[in-house]
Amino acid sequence: QVQLVESGGGLVQPGGSLRLSCAASVSIFSINVMDWYHQGPGKERELVAEITRAEYTNYADSVKGRFTISRDIAKNMVYLQMNSLKPEDTAVYYCGGTMGTRTYWGQGTQVIVSS
């Protein structure tokens, strides 16, 4: 069983920055892929960014150049640095981790980008 806990969401003005954190209950090096998804109002959950055990990263086109996913293996933490935020980034952000064939999810953290 893997538990993931997100934090760092909040209200930010357009153009601002936030850093989301995801704390894992197990060594993240044992997790094949760690990722961030978001789900906007009335929308499906979509991939934002992912990082593999080998540190390969992948981003949604909408966030390339603005968001950065990173990890701290010693702390079992994964981060999402979000810069130049736009109103359309408003969503609940979920941390996910895939081990074998199973994907675990956190409870989500709300991000609102509004003036």
Side-chain angles (χ1 to χ4, degrees), residues 24 26-32 34 71-73 76-78:
V26 299
S27 169
I28 60 172
F29 197 71
S30 67
I31 300 175
N32 297 335
M34 294 290 299
R71 68 183 187 183
D72 186 329
I73 294 175
N76 295 328
M77 297 288 291
V78 176

Side-chain angles (χ1 to χ4, degrees), residues 49-98:
E50 62 185 355
I51 184 166
T52 69
R53 184 184 296 160
E55 283 198 288
Y56 169 81
T57 58
N58 182 47
Y59 297 90
D61 288 343
S62 61
V63 307
K64 283 181 180 176
R66 300 190 298 124
F67 291 10
T68 303
I69 189 170
S70 62
R71 68 183 187 183
D72 186 329
I73 294 175
K75 295 181 179 179
N76 295 328
M77 297 288 291
V78 176
Y79 306 99
L80 185 68
Q81 178 66 43
M82 306 187 295
N83 298 327
S84 302
L85 282 161
K86 304 176 181 179
E88 51 264 43
D89 295 320
T90 294
V92 178
Y93 284 72
Y94 297 92
C95 175
T98 299

Side-chain angles (χ1 to χ4, degrees), residues 10-18 83-87 89 112-115:
L11 174 64
V12 62
Q13 292 187 343
S17 298
L18 280 176
N83 298 327
S84 302
L85 282 161
K86 304 176 181 179
D89 295 320
I112 299 174
V113 184
S114 175
S115 56

Side-chain angles (χ1 to χ4, degrees), residues 6-12 18-21 82 93 109-112:
E6 303 96 333
S7 61
L11 174 64
V12 62
L18 280 176
R19 188 177 81 154
L20 304 183
S21 300
M82 306 187 295
Y93 284 72
T109 186
Q110 177 75 58
V111 172
I112 299 174

